[in-house]
Amino acid sequence: MQYLKWEDGNEYDGSQINPSWAFQEFGVKDSTIVSWLGPMNILGKNLIDYEDVGLDIKGNMMLNFIVEHFDEQPGSLRLAYHRQRMLVMITRDKLLDYGIKTTQDGDDIFINNKKLSVSIATASISSMKMHFALNITVDGTPEDVETSALEDNGMTIEQIHQLQDSIAETYIETIETIEKDIVKTKVF
C-alpha cells in the first residue's frame, strides 16, 4: 500500500471516490491512501450515502483522505466499513497526541458534541474505497450542523501536516501487520 500526498488546495467533489482514481490521477498500480488539504464540496451526482441526498456536504478547508484497497474482488462493502472505522479510531488516537479529546458515533468524530469529520465507504467490482475528512476550519460548513475544527483546537498547519502523515503511516502499518498476522496463523 502506498501513501501519496496530493497537492494542497485541490477540491474534493466526490468524484475521487470512483474506482481506480489514484491510478488514473497518479499512475499508481497499488492500494493507496491519498491525502491533501483542500476544500470539499460534494456535488449531488457524486453523493454515495442515500441519507445525504439533498444535504450540503462542504467545507472551506479539510484534511482529506482517499483510501483504496484492491485485495478482494469484488470489493466487500462490509470490509470497507470495518476499515473505515479503523481509520476513524487511528485518527482519534492521533488527535489525543495533540491533546484533543474526541467522541465517536459510528464513522463520525466529535469534539464537544460538534462534528469534526465526514466519511463514506463504498465498494466496486474491483476495489473498496473510503473518503474521510476532518474540518480544518468551520468556515463553509453547513449552517444546519454544529461543527468543530482542528484550528479551533489550537492546531497549526504544520501540526496538521504532521497529523496527516501520522494517520496515513499508521493506517498502512496496521494493514500490513494484519496481513503478516494472516500469513503466520495456522488455520484448520
Side-chain angles (χ1 to χ4, degrees), residues 51-67:
E51 288 184 340
D52 293 339
V53 173
L55 298 178
D56 287 331
I57 303 177
K58 60 185 181 175
N60 286 358
M61 186 58 69
M62 311 287 290
L63 169 54
N64 292 284
F65 294 91
I66 290 285
V67 181

Side-chain angles (χ1 to χ4, degrees), residues 37-92:
L37 279 56
M40 178 181 66
N41 186 21
I42 302 176
L43 306 174
K45 66 180 181 178
N46 292 328
L47 284 172
I48 301 241
D49 191 332
Y50 289 121
E51 288 184 340
D52 293 339
V53 173
L55 298 178
D56 287 331
I57 303 177
K58 60 185 181 175
N60 286 358
M61 186 58 69
M62 311 287 290
L63 169 54
N64 292 284
F65 294 91
I66 290 285
V67 181
E68 185 164 25
H69 288 275
F70 290 96
D71 57 345
E72 190 170 317
Q73 285 76 37
S76 165
L77 190 56
R78 183 176 311 282
L79 182 55
Y81 273 108
H82 278 269
R83 288 174 171 169
Q84 176 200 45
R85 296 303 196 281
M86 187 173 69
L87 181 60
V88 168
M89 289 186 278
I90 288 168
T91 301
R92 291 188 64 211

Side-chain angles (χ1 to χ4, degrees), residues 7-149:
E7 183 180 331
D8 287 347
N10 285 297
E11 180 180 83
Y12 178 77
D13 64 10
S15 65
Q16 297 89 345
I17 198 80
N18 290 329
S20 298
W21 171 76
F23 172 69
Q24 294 169 30
E25 185 70 30
F26 306 106
V28 176
K29 296 178 184 177
D30 199 356
S31 295
T32 55
I33 182 166
V34 180
S35 184
W36 73 98
L37 279 56
M40 178 181 66
N41 186 21
I42 302 176
L43 306 174
K45 66 180 181 178
N46 292 328
L47 284 172
I48 301 241
D49 191 332
Y50 289 121
E51 288 184 340
D52 293 339
V53 173
L55 298 178
D56 287 331
I57 303 177
K58 60 185 181 175
N60 286 358
M61 186 58 69
M62 311 287 290
L63 169 54
N64 292 284
F65 294 91
I66 290 285
V67 181
E68 185 164 25
H69 288 275
F70 290 96
D71 57 345
E72 190 170 317
Q73 285 76 37
S76 165
L77 190 56
R78 183 176 311 282
L79 182 55
Y81 273 108
H82 278 269
R83 288 174 171 169
Q84 176 200 45
R85 296 303 196 281
M86 187 173 69
L87 181 60
V88 168
M89 289 186 278
I90 288 168
T91 301
R92 291 188 64 211
D93 284 347
K94 296 301 176 183
L95 287 169
L96 272 176
D97 293 343
Y98 294 90
I100 299 174
K101 295 179 182 176
T102 63
T103 56
Q104 179 178 347
D105 183 10
D107 60 6
D108 293 321
I109 297 175
F110 297 84
I111 299 173
N112 298 323
N113 296 320
K114 296 178 180 178
K115 198 166 193 263
L116 176 67
S117 67
V118 296
S119 188
I120 190 66
T122 190
S124 70
I125 296 298
S126 63
S127 68
M128 294 165 278
K129 296 276 307 247
M130 290 177 271
H131 173 249
F132 177 69
L134 301 172
N135 295 321
I136 293 174
T137 177
V138 295
D139 295 340
T141 60
E143 292 180 13
D144 60 336
V145 178
E146 282 194 272
T147 55
S148 60

Side-chain angles (χ1 to χ4, degrees), residues 143-180:
E143 292 180 13
D144 60 336
V145 178
E146 282 194 272
T147 55
S148 60
L150 297 175
E151 72 175 15
D152 293 341
N153 287 274
M155 289 194 76
T156 65
I157 291 297
E158 181 180 318
Q159 290 174 320
I160 292 168
H161 278 289
Q162 292 168 352
L163 175 68
Q164 172 185 23
D165 293 341
S166 183
I167 290 169
E169 291 163 2
T170 302
Y171 182 82
I172 290 170
E173 180 182 316
T174 303
I175 293 297
E176 288 175 352
T177 58
I178 290 170
E179 292 301 315
K180 288 177 183 174

